[in-house]
């Protein structure tokens, strides 16, 4: 026979919930990508500065202002920032995984099957 008929309001509500899940996942993925890119930039700068003499002059952007420092001044701050970015990235990946699991559970609970056009 034909598929079970669903109340149009219920169907619209489920569609809205699904869209919200997908938007949240997409936003998290975008933030994760941004943080990964920033972490990679920090890594490249650290690798560039590490072998240099500690008293060598270098420049760092602080709140939109380029300031002159030495490698020994800049390197510890870069490493701290890099570690912080890694921690944020780990947390965001956990959030993404939890939200994906929440979506999967919701789909099973509501018997949702996604049809790709």
């Amino acid at each position: 026979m034909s598929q079970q008929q669903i109340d149009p309001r219920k169907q619209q509500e489920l569609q809205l919930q699904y869209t919200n899940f997908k938007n949240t996942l997409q936003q998290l993925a975008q933030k994760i990508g941004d943080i990964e890119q920033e972490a990679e930039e920090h890594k490249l700068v650290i690798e560039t500065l590490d072998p240099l003499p500690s008293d060598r002059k270098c420049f760092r952007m602080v709140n939109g202002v380029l300031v002159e420092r030495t490698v020994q001044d800049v390197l510890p701050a870069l490493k701290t920032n890099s570690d912080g970015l890694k921690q944020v990235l780990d947390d965001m990946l956990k959030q993404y995984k939890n939200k994906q699991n929440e979506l999967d559970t919701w789909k099973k609970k509501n018997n949702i099957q996604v049809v790709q056009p």
Side-chain angles (χ1 to χ4, degrees), residues 46-81:
I46 290 169
E47 288 173 355
T48 301
L49 293 179
D50 234 359
L52 299 177
S54 62
D55 62 344
R56 180 163 174 176
K57 181 181 5 176
C58 66
F59 294 89
R60 179 170 185 216
M61 185 74 72
V62 178
N63 294 329
V65 178
L66 197 59
V67 293
E68 183 178 326
R69 297 280 188 255
T70 61
V71 169
Q72 70 184 6
D73 295 333
V74 172
L75 212 46
L78 283 173
K79 289 179 179 179
T80 301
N81 288 351

Side-chain angles (χ1 to χ4, degrees), residues 15-31 96 99-100 103:
Q15 180 65 44
L16 184 61
Q17 289 173 344
Y18 178 76
T19 302
N20 286 338
F21 272 118
K22 294 307 271 185
N23 287 342
T24 301
L25 286 170
Q26 185 177 6
Q27 289 170 354
L28 281 171
Q30 178 65 44
K31 289 177 185 175
Y96 186 90
K99 187 54 86 171
Q100 183 66 53
L103 172 61

Side-chain angles (χ1 to χ4, degrees), residues 5-15:
Q5 292 298 317
I6 301 174
D7 177 19
R9 275 183 269 152
K10 177 72 171 170
Q11 186 174 357
Q12 188 175 11
E13 181 183 318
L14 290 173
Q15 180 65 44

Side-chain angles (χ1 to χ4, degrees), residues 1-7 11 110-115:
M1 304 268 330
S2 66
Q3 291 183 346
Q4 176 182 352
Q5 292 298 317
I6 301 174
D7 177 19
Q11 186 174 357
N110 291 290
N111 195 23
I112 304 294
Q113 295 178 359
V114 179
V115 178

